[in-house]
Amino acid sequence: MVDGGEEFSQVYDEYSDRIFSYIFLLVNNRATAEDLTQESFIKAYQSFNQFNEESQLYTWLVKIARNTAIDYIRKKSKYRYLPFDLKNLYSEQQSPDEILLKGEKITILYEAINRLKMDYREVIVLRKIKEFSIKESAEILNWKEDKVRITTLRAIKALKKELKKRGEGFEEVLSNG
Amino acid sequence: MDDALKELDSIHRKITAKNKSFQQIESKLAHNNQQKIISKRIPYYMTSVATLLIFSCLVLWKWDDGIGRADNYPVLSSTIMEAIIATNHSYDSFQPIEYMYKKDYAISSNNEWLELLHSLITNAERVEEQPIGKNMYDCLLLLENNENIKLKIWIEDNDLYFMEWNKKIVYKANNAESEQIMAGIQRIIEKE
């Protein structure tokens, strides 16, 4: 196939599931997430010489995946002349089966996250779901660390507010936190 | 809430989907590699084609200009009907025009000789050197299509040369034909 194929195959084996689930949380569609995962790994292969050994390979891959997904969302947005917002794009959609299968509590949480604005949603996915450090999140988002800290606090606050709006069931979600 | 959030970390992905994606990645990378190789070669191919085109244009241009080929005299457009011949020792004048109705020119309408002259002119080859002859003949060829050609003809070292009047391109005739043509010219001139 291509030069360095065996090494690349190992990287794909180890990280592609995590990259897929990260992208899935941004685009909420299995087929699209699979396509964007492919695209992300192709970009990673082609720009591997730009990989800085100081950062983690996984962090670098997530950064590529994030840019790929954001590009896709921007292109897909019907309102390209307005600042795009995932809340507008997905708030009316039914939750995918992959989420529904996890139960009501997770589904409520997932839908509440989807109603947040883009910045909040991204920091929650990175900091709270994927458990990246502040430094790693800042690197992925290309933000300053302070911005990551402040935005995370505000995002959690907004998420709790969103869960409260949902009434029944939110207490169970919050009670675990 | 943290536990609930961590639940979202793993989204089930079928192993078949994972493998299929990897195959598609391999295929796309291989395709991109091929395109990359082709696109790298495109400037080389374009340069080669451009060079070839420029070379072809130069050759064609030279061809049209009458330089750099076997250089036969351009094929006559029509049959020679008459040849009006006069002696002349000057490059600067053309006698058959000036003395068309005077006695020191001769007309040949001998078809056999005119066909031989036609053949001599058509088969003559261009020469780069331009030997100057002392005994020069002016020859006005009247063609069937009412065109005419003004030639200056001379002999140098037993070879027959000619050129169109006021043109600098000299042609050398085939030896076998030139002897007969010169003999014919001599006869025509002497007869007058």
Side-chain angles (χ1 to χ4, degrees):
Chain A
M1 77 148 212
V2 289
D3 297 336
E6 199 174 327
E7 193 182 350
F8 177 69
S9 171
Q10 287 170 0
V11 170
Y12 179 84
D13 261 351
E14 187 172 345
Y15 297 106
S16 72
D17 287 346
R18 283 187 271 174
I19 295 297
F20 168 81
S21 68
Y22 168 74
I23 294 174
F24 183 92
L25 291 172
L26 294 180
V27 299
N28 303 296
N29 179 283
R30 168 174 292 282
T32 306
E34 199 66 61
D35 288 347
L36 295 177
T37 301
Q38 281 180 29
E39 199 179 325
S40 302
F41 273 90
I42 287 170
K43 285 179 183 172
Y45 181 87
Q46 288 171 336
S47 55
F48 194 74
N49 57 347
Q50 294 169 23
F51 171 59
N52 183 353
E53 298 282 346
E54 287 174 12
S55 67
Q56 293 289 321
L57 181 57
Y58 179 45
T59 307
W60 183 71
L61 289 171
V62 170
K63 188 173 182 176
I64 291 173
R66 187 241 175 193
N67 292 336
T68 306
I70 296 293
D71 282 347
Y72 166 81
I73 291 164
R74 283 184 199 279
K75 284 176 192 167
K76 194 170 181 284
S77 172
K78 291 176 185 174
Y79 309 102
R80 290 178 189 177
Y81 52 90
L82 295 174
F84 80 102
D85 189 339
L86 285 177
K87 183 175 77 174
N88 292 331
L89 283 173
Y90 299 107
S91 58
E92 302 305 321
Q93 290 180 2
Q94 190 187 353
S95 296
D97 292 345
E98 289 79 4
I99 302 298
L100 292 171
L101 287 170
K102 289 180 181 287
E104 189 184 0
K105 185 178 73 174
I106 303 301
T107 304
I108 290 169
L109 181 60
Y110 174 83
E111 287 173 355
I113 292 170
N114 275 346
R115 287 191 171 272
L116 300 178
K117 69 176 190 175
M118 184 62 179
D119 285 359
Y120 290 175
R121 186 173 172 181
E122 284 210 277
V123 286
I124 285 177
V125 170
L126 289 174
R127 293 281 292 121
K128 299 296 175 183
I129 299 176
K130 291 293 175 187
E131 296 184 303
F132 281 103
S133 68
I134 289 173
K135 188 182 174 187
E136 288 165 335
S137 300
E139 188 185 330
I140 292 165
L141 294 166
N142 206 19
W143 292 356
K144 288 183 178 174
E145 290 182 23
D146 279 347
K147 184 179 176 181
V148 174
R149 274 191 204 95
I150 293 164
T151 310
T152 305
L153 290 173
R154 289 175 180 165
I156 294 293
K157 194 176 170 185
L159 179 60
K160 285 180 177 174
K161 193 177 170 185
E162 190 62 43
L163 285 168
K164 278 182 187 174
K165 275 191 209 169
R166 301 197 152 242
E168 194 178 340
F170 90 91
E171 293 88 352
E172 193 184 349
V173 176
L174 289 176
S175 67
N176 288 331
Chain B
M1 187 165 67
D2 283 351
D3 289 341
L5 285 166
K6 282 170 197 167
E7 279 282 313
L8 288 170
D9 183 28
S10 62
I11 304 293
H12 177 66
R13 186 187 185 203
K14 288 178 184 171
I15 188 74
T16 49
K18 181 178 178 175
N19 291 339
K20 192 179 171 187
S21 269
F22 185 69
Q23 284 171 1
Q24 287 179 340
I25 290 168
E26 279 188 312
S27 167
K28 283 175 186 172
L29 284 174
H31 178 71
N32 287 350
N33 261 8
Q34 276 184 333
Q35 283 198 322
K36 211 172 178 180
I37 290 167
I38 290 169
S39 63
K40 272 184 184 172
R41 287 180 182 172
I42 281 175
Y44 167 76
Y45 289 137
M46 286 181 73
T47 309
S48 305
V49 169
T51 307
L52 194 63
L53 277 173
I54 290 167
F55 179 73
S56 305
C57 288
L58 279 174
V59 167
L60 286 173
W61 176 66
K62 290 285 186 185
W63 183 283
D64 284 346
D65 197 40
I67 300 168
R69 59 168 180 144
D71 287 341
N72 286 349
Y73 186 83
V75 175
L76 294 178
S77 57
S78 184
T79 308
I80 302 171
M81 301 303 290
E82 281 188 336
I84 302 167
I85 299 166
T87 53
N88 193 349
H89 301 293
S90 168
Y91 277 95
D92 303 322
S93 63
F94 193 77
Q95 296 289 4
I97 302 295
E98 294 174 33
Y99 300 103
M100 183 75 84
Y101 301 104
K102 295 183 179 176
K103 77 175 199 179
D104 53 351
Y105 70 91
I107 297 176
S108 172
S109 50
N110 179 311
N111 285 340
E112 195 179 331
W113 187 80
L114 290 175
E115 279 175 22
L116 194 66
L117 181 62
H118 189 287
S119 168
L120 176 137
I121 291 169
T122 306
N123 293 318
E125 287 187 359
R126 179 180 174 166
V127 288
E128 293 300 325
E129 71 274 18
Q130 299 191 6
I132 307 296
K134 291 175 186 170
N135 298 316
M136 189 172 285
Y137 300 97
D138 291 348
C139 182
L140 177 65
L141 304 177
L142 304 177
L143 305 183
E144 194 175 30
N145 60 4
N146 291 327
E147 288 181 7
N148 62 68
I149 296 171
K150 302 177 190 74
L151 296 181
K152 282 192 168 292
I153 299 174
W154 69 96
I155 296 286
E156 185 71 25
D157 292 336
N158 295 321
D159 289 321
L160 188 151
Y161 295 89
F162 68 88
M163 66 178 179
E164 281 194 66
W165 185 49
N166 280 343
K167 290 190 180 174
K168 301 288 184 187
I169 304 170
V170 177
Y171 295 87
K172 183 180 174 184
N174 180 293
N175 275 337
E177 289 164 341
S178 63
E179 280 181 22
Q180 288 178 269
I181 292 298
M182 280 313 296
I185 288 174
Q186 290 296 337
R187 273 199 306 276
I188 294 164
I189 296 290
E190 283 167 11
K191 197 165 67 177
E192 283 298 314

